[in-house]
């Protein structure tokens, strides 16, 4: 893991109303890979926390995303972190979980991408049988959700399963460009900058993954949505339906109540500042939608703050 943006003192206590100083001296946010929405959102949130007087200092941490982020939270090496709702659900039920984690809100929608070259004979999910497949980094939500998709489709139990390689954003797209893999899984808000960059110089397609949703929803109720990646979200790539999962802002149960409440109000009051600049996807930064954290319970102070905001 490497460290990303560090924010210094950037303003007063507009949200925390803390004349004596910030609510916490430092709040580190476990984000994601550079170029992805996790890290972009964490960077903007880091700046906002300092500007609002909630944190004296804040860092957005470059990580392998959901799985690593939850581990860093559990170990106390980050105070906030981003995670896919299905990964958070799996972690809550893991016997190796280091501490109880809670959500502060549902912040944006993630869209599952299965990327292939435009001239590939792979046109549907089941064509991945025997293919060389990038499945996300080992510490990523892409890998967790991808394994569920492969299992729900029957591919991972079939006689000719995909030949999986654990590759993150950068390495996976580079391998796809070089012809070292046939397809690559990637999960993120849209558009993913790294895909846009590759698609500007190479012809790509996205696979429709909607067929697997019925099985996923039956196995894991309340976690998976049918979503659309619109036409030309990426250069010359047609519209497809795919699997969507909410992205949650997570914390530990021992995050102080005043901090949890202040972060919730920040998410609502400064929503426009927290949406990555080129976002084309669904954002959930209102009290009505932030509260929908699927199977992951809200931090008690966050729940109380949402109740107060609803009147």
């Amino acid at each position: 893991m490497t460290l990303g943006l560090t924010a210094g003192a950037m303003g007063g206590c507009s949200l925390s109303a803390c004349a004596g100083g910030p609510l916490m001296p430092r709040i580190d946010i476990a984000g994601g890979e550079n170029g992805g929405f996790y890290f972009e959102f964490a960077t903007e949130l880091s700046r906002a926390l300092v500007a609002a007087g909630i944190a004296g200092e804040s860092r957005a941490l470059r990580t392998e995303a959901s799985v690593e982020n939850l581990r860093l939270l559990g170990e106390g090496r980050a105070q906030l972190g981003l995670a896919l709702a299905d990964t958070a659900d799996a972690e809550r039920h893991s016997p190796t979980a280091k501490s109880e984690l809670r959500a502060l809100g549902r912040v944006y929608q993630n869209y599952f991408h299965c990327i292939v070259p435009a001239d590939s004979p792979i046109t549907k999910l089941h064509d991945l049988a025997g293919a060389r497949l990038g499945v996300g980094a080992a510490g990523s939500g892409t890998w967790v959700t991808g394994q569920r998709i492969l299992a729900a489709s029957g591919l991972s139990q079939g006689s000719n399963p995909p030949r999986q390689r654990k590759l993150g954003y950068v390495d996976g797209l580079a391998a796809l460009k070089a012809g070292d893999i046939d397809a690559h899984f990637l999960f993120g808000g849209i558009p993913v900058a790294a895909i846009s960059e590759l698609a500007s110089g190479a012809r790509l397609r996205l696979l429709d993954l909607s067929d697997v949703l019925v099985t996923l929803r039956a196995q894991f109720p309340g976690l998976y949505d049918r979503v659309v990646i619109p036409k030309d979200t990426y250069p010359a790539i047609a519209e497809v339906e795919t699997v969507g999962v909410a992205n949650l802002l997570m914390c530990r149960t021992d995050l102080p109540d005043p901090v949890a409440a202040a972060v919730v109000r920040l998410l609502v009051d400064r929503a426009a500042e927290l949406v990555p600049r080129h976002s084309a996807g669904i954002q959930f930064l209102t009290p009505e939608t932030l509260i929908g954290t699927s199977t992951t319970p809200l931090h008690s102070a966050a729940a109380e703050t949402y109740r107060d905001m609803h009147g």
Side-chain angles (χ1 to χ4, degrees):
M1 180 193 73
T2 57
L3 301 186
L5 178 84
T6 300
M10 295 172 53
C13 301
S14 56
L15 286 178
S16 56
C18 49
L23 292 178
M24 288 186 72
R26 183 177 209 99
I27 297 177
D28 290 341
I29 309 166
E33 293 187 68
N34 196 26
F37 262 52
Y38 276 52
F39 188 70
E40 287 187 59
F41 184 89
T43 297
E44 298 303 329
L45 180 58
S46 174
R47 291 179 177 136
L49 288 169
V50 176
I54 298 170
E57 295 184 17
S58 180
R59 296 179 297 176
L61 308 182
R62 290 191 180 95
T63 71
E64 298 289 356
S66 293
V67 174
E68 183 178 3
N69 292 351
L70 295 174
R71 177 174 59 79
L72 292 173
L73 281 173
E75 294 172 352
R77 296 168 60 193
Q79 290 68 52
L80 302 177
L82 295 163
L84 291 165
D86 59 345
T87 306
D89 180 76
E91 175 65 18
R92 284 182 54 241
H93 295 97
S94 168
T96 61
K98 294 183 179 298
S99 65
E100 281 197 272
L101 302 179
R102 292 290 185 265
L104 292 174
R106 175 176 65 157
V107 290
Y108 64 85
Q109 183 72 268
N110 278 258
Y111 299 74
F112 202 91
H113 300 65
C114 182
I115 313 154
V116 298
D119 59 358
S120 170
I122 297 171
T123 61
K124 56 186 182 298
L125 185 60
H126 286 87
D127 292 339
L128 292 174
R132 300 168 300 168
L133 177 62
V135 291
S140 70
T142 299
W143 186 83
V144 171
T145 308
Q147 295 307 300
R148 289 184 173 184
I149 288 173
L150 292 174
S153 67
L155 281 165
S156 55
Q157 301 91 0
S159 59
N160 190 23
R163 291 169 283 165
Q164 299 184 36
R165 292 181 59 186
K166 292 181 180 178
L167 300 170
Y169 275 34
V170 175
D171 291 342
L173 292 175
L176 188 69
K177 181 179 180 180
D180 294 334
I181 57 175
D182 303 306
H184 186 54
F185 284 169
L186 191 153
F187 220 167
I190 57 172
V192 176
I195 300 177
S196 297
E197 182 178 350
L198 181 58
S200 66
R203 295 178 60 246
L204 303 174
R205 280 189 290 108
L206 296 175
L207 298 192
D208 187 312
L209 302 179
S210 58
D211 286 351
V212 80
L213 272 165
V214 171
T215 303
L216 281 176
R217 285 173 163 175
Q219 293 176 342
F220 308 101
L223 291 173
Y224 296 103
D225 302 314
R226 183 185 299 270
V227 295
V228 172
I229 299 177
K231 177 183 178 182
D232 294 329
T233 297
Y234 304 104
I237 294 182
E239 175 178 302
V240 296
E241 291 187 352
T242 188
V243 175
V245 176
N247 189 39
L248 308 180
L249 181 62
M250 302 287 295
C251 66
R252 288 166 49 130
T253 53
D254 59 3
L255 184 73
D257 286 358
V259 176
V263 172
V264 164
R265 293 191 180 277
L266 180 72
L267 293 174
V268 175
D269 294 343
R270 299 201 176 185
E273 300 172 28
L274 300 176
V275 177
R277 184 173 52 179
H278 300 296
S279 173
I282 298 170
Q283 312 295 323
F284 296 121
L285 301 178
T286 68
E288 296 77 15
T289 53
L290 277 161
I291 202 167
T293 55
S294 301
T295 60
T296 300
L298 284 163
H299 186 288
S300 58
E304 183 63 33
T305 302
Y306 287 123
R307 281 193 289 267
D308 290 345
M309 296 176 90
H310 277 290

